Amino acid sequence: MGTYGDGGNATVLRQRLRMRGIDAETVEITLADAVPESLDIYTLGGAEDYAQRLATRHLVKHPGLQRAAARGAPVLAICAAIQVLGHWYETSAGERVDGVGLLDVTTSPQAKRSIGELVSTPLLDGLTAPLTGFENHRGGTVLGAAAAPLGAVKKGAGNRAGDGFDGAVQGSVIATYMHGPCLARNPELADLLLRRVVGELPPLELSEVDLLRRERLRAARV
């Protein structure tokens, strides 16, 4: 699943390590592959209903992701991946699909699709800068008691219109409705994930990333 450039999140993680002299490679998992449990970080992206169902079945059949998360491997889940990792989600056709169960969330279709810039104030320890991305989803996600929101919404809908929060954090999983790709627009979040694997990292001074963030926040008018 990699709608709206979500596959770029793995590229960002790899490059931010390489820029610091740490070798890193990406491994793309397809429906022809069993899901390995030995990777250091996992990223999942968005998808339409059909691909989302296929990915859900594949993750249930090959539970390498679940085993990796149980040992503490960081997992970044974007948009439809929040729904896949939850208890269940309903498709736009009304079909209820059992999820993987890594997140205490459920998702049902909303009356209106949420599209546009999404900005939130982070609620996760270790993050201080506003989170920014582009949302495009009809699913409305409700968090259970075991899941905490990633951010308090300042612009956009987030998990569910009127709810006021975006994303979910539970165990080693961080989930959000931010496309963009998310980690290109939120380097602080990228480094938080990396630190959970390699420990402390020296800062990176990347003016183009700072420029992108300023431009996107200005476009969202927050």
Side-chain angles (χ1 to χ4, degrees):
M1 300 191 295
T3 306
Y4 310 119
D6 294 328
N9 288 314
T11 301
V12 170
L13 291 170
R14 182 191 67 193
Q15 292 306 108
R16 292 185 73 84
L17 285 174
R18 287 181 175 180
M19 287 177 178
R20 290 160 163 131
I22 301 172
D23 189 32
E25 298 294 337
T26 58
V27 178
E28 183 176 355
I29 309 302
T30 72
L31 293 179
D33 306 309
V35 181
E37 60 183 276
S38 58
L39 302 181
D40 295 304
I41 299 179
Y42 294 76
T43 66
L44 299 87
E48 303 303 325
D49 285 353
Y50 180 67
Q52 185 180 5
R53 286 196 298 273
L54 289 177
T56 305
R57 295 192 194 110
H58 193 70
L59 289 170
V60 171
K61 182 179 179 181
H62 302 282
L65 175 69
Q66 296 90 306
R67 294 182 184 132
R71 65 171 168 80
V75 178
L76 176 69
I78 307 294
C79 197
I82 301 176
Q83 303 167 19
V84 168
L85 297 188
H87 296 304
W88 55 261
Y89 60 89
E90 290 183 6
T91 69
S92 56
E95 176 189 2
R96 180 172 290 194
V97 180
D98 289 335
V100 173
L102 283 180
L103 290 173
D104 185 15
V105 306
T106 57
T107 305
S108 301
Q110 301 181 98
K112 184 179 179 181
R113 193 171 191 84
S114 298
I115 304 176
E117 289 294 317
L118 173 60
V119 180
S120 68
T121 300
L123 301 175
L124 178 62
D125 288 345
L127 298 177
T128 59
L131 296 165
T132 170
F134 186 86
E135 63 179 338
N136 186 347
H137 60 100
R138 193 181 170 198
T141 297
V142 177
L143 273 58
L150 173 63
V153 172
K154 296 176 64 179
K155 172 80 173 183
N159 291 338
R160 183 175 55 155
D163 179 67
F165 296 104
D166 172 61
V169 178
Q170 184 174 344
S172 65
V173 180
I174 297 176
T176 175
Y177 274 103
M178 294 185 295
H179 299 289
C182 173
L183 298 184
R185 294 176 62 161
N186 300 282
E188 188 179 47
L189 177 57
D191 283 353
L192 181 145
L193 291 165
L194 292 174
R195 285 197 303 272
R196 292 182 175 183
V197 176
V198 300
E200 288 304 310
L201 291 166
L204 287 178
E205 300 296 334
L206 299 173
S207 59
E208 62 272 29
V209 175
D210 296 335
L211 179 63
L212 171 65
R213 283 186 54 79
R214 288 196 301 271
E215 193 277 332
R216 288 294 82 205
L217 289 169
R218 186 164 55 246
R221 296 180 183 176
V222 295

